[in-house]
């Protein structure tokens, strides 16, 4: 008989005003011993950070800036798929709030072809409490006007639904799904590929990843993206970014 997976950890909330970055605050709490399930939420960020060295637009009040502390049991080289499952958790939370969401590899949260949210997952191997992942989540909730450079790319819960949602409600939904998904990831030892592919907005789309142009074939449990290149060979992409060459399919969610 297989052991029953442990329950997700209890959540420990830290509600903050303006901070530099919730990922930096969460790492600082973890350094002082904060356990798995510590959730840092801020009203605004002055140095909100995105993937690949980008910044994350973080005006006060309207949107979700959340970081989740997860103490890791798997080895660092087994964590590649964690970020896919963290993206799944955010998409599931959006479903719960009434806005079905898709995912673009590795973990952009997409609605109607635009970015609703993104995740920045950072592994710390130098903390006294052991290896720790901080999952940072930014979701545009109640913003109705973006800066000009984001307007063609971004959307928000309010723009898509015509409704507002409280940061607190969104934070509770996201944190609960993250706790469950990260726990399940540790038990499974890899990403939930089937669930991810159901939400994947780039399925079979023509894409570019670095120098490779091809069709987005699938993702794997270790988090890699597999492209079928123009010459028919499969190419695994472990990190970085993928660009659609045909525009994202304009679908709202998980279908
Ligand atoms: C991306 O799509 O590039 C990732 C964006 C991640 C933004 C969030 S907001 C909360 C947390 N704190 C940060 O500084 N970044 C993440």
């Amino acid at each position: 008989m297989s052991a029953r997976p442990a329950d997700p950890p209890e959540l420990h909330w830290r509600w903050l005003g303006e901070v530099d970055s919730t990922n930096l605050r969460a790492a600082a709490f973890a350094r002082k011993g904060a356990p798995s399930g510590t959730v840092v939420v801020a009203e605004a960020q002055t140095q909100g950070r995105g993937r690949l060295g980008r910044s994350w637009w973080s005006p006060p009040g309207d949107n979700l800036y959340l970081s989740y502390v997860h103490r890791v049991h798997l080895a660092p080289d087994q964590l590649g798929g964690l970020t896919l499952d963290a993206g799944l958790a955010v998409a599931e939370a959006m479903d719960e709030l009434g806005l079905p969401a898709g995912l673009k590899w590795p973990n952009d949260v997409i609605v109607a072809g635009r970015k609703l949210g993104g995740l920045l997952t950072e592994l710390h191997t130098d903390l006294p409490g052991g290896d720790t992942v901080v999952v940072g989540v930014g979701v545009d909730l109640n913003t109705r006007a973006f800066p000009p450079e984001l307007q063609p790319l971004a959307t928000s819960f309010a723009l898509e639904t015509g409704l507002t949602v409280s940061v607190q409600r969104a934070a509770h939904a996201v944190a609960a799904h993250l706790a469950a998904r990260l726990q399940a990831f540790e038990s499974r030892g890899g990403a939930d590929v089937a669930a991810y592919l159901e939400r994947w907005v780039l399925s079979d789309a023509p894409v570019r990843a670095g120098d490779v142009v091809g069709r987005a074939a699938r993702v794997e449990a270790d988090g890699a993206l597999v492209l079928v290149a123009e010459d028919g060979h499969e190419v695994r992409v472990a990190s970085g970014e993928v660009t659609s060459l045909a525009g994202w399919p304009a679908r709202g969610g998980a279908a």
Side-chain angles (χ1 to χ4, degrees):
M1 199 170 86
S2 64
R4 182 174 164 271
D7 289 333
E10 188 187 334
L11 299 179
H12 305 271
W13 291 92
R14 307 282 189 146
W15 299 93
L16 306 178
E18 183 179 274
V19 299
D20 43 8
S21 154
T22 56
N23 269 30
L24 294 176
R25 293 306 99 218
F29 284 125
R31 191 171 296 281
K32 290 184 184 155
S36 265
T38 298
V39 191
V40 179
V41 185
E43 200 177 323
Q45 298 183 118
T46 54
Q47 294 168 46
R49 296 182 298 139
R51 290 182 64 243
L52 308 173
R54 296 179 185 133
S55 60
W56 186 257
W57 183 65
S58 308
D62 281 346
N63 301 320
L64 179 65
Y65 317 113
L66 176 151
S67 296
Y68 181 93
V69 174
H70 175 70
R71 302 290 190 177
V72 176
H73 301 291
L74 297 172
D77 66 357
Q78 295 176 294
L79 297 177
L82 183 146
T83 201
L84 300 190
D85 279 12
L88 264 175
V90 178
E92 288 165 349
M94 293 304 117
D95 288 0
E96 200 176 300
L97 299 179
L99 182 60
L103 293 166
K104 173 177 174 277
W105 185 89
N107 51 18
D108 287 351
V109 182
I110 302 294
V111 173
R114 289 171 186 246
K115 184 157 168 169
L116 179 80
L119 290 88
L120 175 65
T121 304
E122 296 179 304
L123 171 64
H124 299 270
T125 55
D126 60 341
L127 302 186
D131 288 358
T132 302
V133 164
V134 171
V135 179
V137 178
V139 180
D140 289 318
L141 297 175
N142 301 312
T143 284
R144 288 178 188 268
F146 286 97
E149 66 278 14
L150 294 179
Q151 266 170 29
L153 308 170
T155 192
S156 69
F157 181 91
L159 288 174
E160 295 299 330
T161 63
L163 304 170
T164 57
V165 60
S166 77
V167 171
Q168 200 179 32
R169 182 166 170 231
H172 276 95
V174 166
H177 282 277
L178 276 174
R181 275 285 171 193
L182 297 184
Q183 185 78 39
F185 174 85
E186 294 265 359
S187 305
R188 195 186 306 107
D192 186 347
V193 170
Y196 189 92
L197 292 179
E198 280 180 23
R199 292 183 184 269
W200 196 27
V201 296
L202 288 183
S203 180
D204 208 32
V207 295
R208 173 187 296 281
D211 293 340
V212 184
V213 172
R215 295 212 160 256
R218 62 181 186 278
V219 297
E220 297 193 329
D222 65 0
L225 167 70
V226 179
L227 304 185
V228 178
E230 286 169 317
D231 65 4
H233 282 93
E234 287 197 349
V235 181
R236 274 171 51 87
V237 182
S239 62
E241 188 157 62
V242 62
T243 311
S244 171
L245 298 178
W248 295 330
R251 58 180 162 177

